[in-house]
Amino acid sequence: MLRVRPTLHTPHVAQWARLLTALGLREMPVLPANLAAPGTVQRCYAADAGRILLQDSATFHTELVFEVRDLEKFAQWTIGDGTPVTMLPAPHGDGPRAQARITAPDGLSFTALAVDPLATEGTPPDTAGADGQLAVLALWNTPDVPGAQATLANIGAKPDTFSHEGAWAQYRAKHGGLVAAHAGQDPRVELSLEYSGKLEALAGQLPSAGFESQLVDETYGRTLLVEHPDGGSLWINERRRDLYGYTRH
């Protein structure tokens, strides 16, 4: 099992919850629940593919996180494929091995969390290619796209959409969500979404919830820019139909 579940650290959890709800995401139980300090506000939302954890924080940033079913096996397979894994105890709970830390060649570190197998039952599969499906897309900006690609492949993510010039390499997780390694100067992660239907449908859901958006049409595809509570824009990419300059796997 591998699912994309980035953590969005924000001082505006309630406002983000309203935005995600307006986009059609569904609130889920927070799992595992023992990894945050007591009193920390956390809310989890599921898209058709992938999840997002909102966590109260003084600063706004996104952390790349994956959910796995068997952490020991995940670590064994990842190490066997050539990527080091550090096993860590739960910081605020009894689980001796509740999480693992992976560091990519560009220096970006991310987390894999063990999730109770029973908690995965009944969750939607990765249906990002179907009409009108919404997928969580973690954007991994990196000066080393090939290194990020190797790391994603080693943790079990599968190729999805690649640019011929090598600046964009998008992978999918078996149990939901996408990660795209994107050429950039500094290693960092940003939260975005991908929608396989028409973006006008999503845009029409937002005004009644108090959110403004702008639809932009670039040569590489269409994107809905949604003003988010922390003063920036949430990018929602329309899934590519014209694959000129790209390859889909």
Side-chain angles (χ1 to χ4, degrees):
M1 172 195 159
L2 186 72
R3 179 186 293 117
V4 179
R5 199 229 63 188
T7 298
L8 184 71
H9 299 263
T10 173
H12 304 107
V13 169
Q15 294 93 323
W16 270 98
R18 194 172 76 250
L19 172 57
L20 296 182
T21 300
L23 288 169
L25 283 78
R26 305 171 300 282
E27 188 160 14
M28 305 284 290
V30 175
L31 299 169
N34 62 349
L35 295 181
T40 301
V41 176
Q42 291 184 316
R43 298 179 70 173
C44 186
Y45 286 82
D48 297 299
R51 297 177 179 174
I52 300 167
L53 182 74
L54 303 177
Q55 180 165 310
D56 185 41
S57 173
T59 61
F60 170 65
H61 62 283
T62 302
E63 177 186 4
L64 182 58
V65 178
F66 294 89
E67 293 180 344
V68 301
R69 179 170 298 185
D70 189 321
L71 199 62
E72 296 286 350
K73 287 184 178 179
F74 168 82
Q76 291 173 7
W77 293 335
T78 301
I79 293 170
D81 285 338
T83 293
V85 177
T86 301
M87 303 293 283
L88 300 172
H92 302 285
D94 298 328
R97 291 181 178 272
Q99 57 181 328
R101 199 72 175 164
I102 301 95
T103 301
D106 65 3
L108 181 83
S109 291
F110 58 90
T111 303
L113 301 177
V115 175
D116 187 327
L118 294 177
T120 68
E121 293 184 359
T123 56
D126 188 344
T127 55
D131 185 39
Q133 299 298 306
L134 189 66
V136 175
L137 171 59
L139 291 180
W140 179 349
N141 294 284
T142 175
D144 183 7
V145 173
Q149 286 185 250
T151 302
L152 291 170
N154 289 348
I155 69 169
K158 303 302 181 183
D160 183 74
T161 306
F162 291 1
S163 68
H164 296 170
E165 63 181 16
W168 181 276
Q170 183 167 299
Y171 286 74
R172 63 183 180 274
K174 181 178 180 180
H175 286 80
L178 302 162
V179 180
H182 177 52
Q185 185 173 1
D186 300 314
R188 58 188 173 86
V189 175
E190 297 179 25
L191 174 66
S192 67
L193 299 166
E194 183 184 84
Y195 188 59
S196 63
K198 294 294 184 180
L199 290 173
E200 288 85 353
L202 285 184
Q205 299 170 190
L206 296 172
S208 61
F211 295 100
E212 296 184 3
S213 63
Q214 178 185 5
L215 184 60
V216 296
D217 194 348
E218 303 287 354
T219 55
Y220 54 81
R222 303 203 313 160
T223 301
L224 185 67
L225 303 179
V226 183
E227 294 185 7
H228 67 61
D230 284 284
S233 294
L234 174 66
W235 287 49
I236 305 176
N237 294 335
E238 191 171 86
R239 188 159 176 84
R240 300 178 191 278
R241 294 175 174 81
D242 181 358
L243 291 176
Y244 179 77
Y246 289 82
T247 298
R248 179 159 295 149
H249 296 264

